[in-house]
Amino acid sequence: MHVAFVILHLGGNGAERVVYRLARSFSDRGHKVDIVLFRTIIHRSLPEGVRVFVLGDAPDRLTEERAAEQPGHPWFLDGGAPVLLAAG
């Protein structure tokens, strides 16, 4: 299986730590793992075999007003809520 996690950055200890642990666990089980970031903040060594893609800088939060001005912007969600994408 190929798994991709999408998250703002890997600089914190909440959702970022969960993404790190899940990425390591999937990778240890032989799955292909990618982490997609919007900021180049990484405070941990990444597990071997885990690829990281940085799409560019994004604001920490996008207010509803600003989101309405930018339809389709990836940060219509508050904060850095991670997203998991998987393909078999």
Side-chain angles (χ1 to χ4, degrees), residues 1 3 5 22-31 33 84:
M1 181 169 45
V3 179
F5 295 93
L22 287 172
R24 183 182 59 207
S25 180
F26 277 107
S27 181
D28 287 349
R29 288 171 175 73
H31 300 291
V33 179
L84 168 64

Side-chain angles (χ1 to χ4, degrees), residues 35-47:
I35 299 176
V36 180
L37 305 175
F38 290 88
R39 287 187 156 174
T40 52
I41 302 171
I42 302 172
H43 289 175
R44 291 181 174 75
S45 322
L46 294 169

Side-chain angles (χ1 to χ4, degrees), residues 2 7 33-39 51-56:
H2 188 170
I7 190 164
V33 179
D34 295 334
I35 299 176
V36 180
L37 305 175
F38 290 88
R39 287 187 156 174
R51 298 184 311 172
V52 174
F53 299 90
V54 180
L55 300 181

Side-chain angles (χ1 to χ4, degrees), residues 6 8 59-63 67 73-83:
V6 181
L8 185 61
D60 287 342
R61 302 185 190 285
L62 189 63
T63 64
H73 191 284
W75 289 108
F76 62 92
L77 296 173
D78 189 3
V83 176

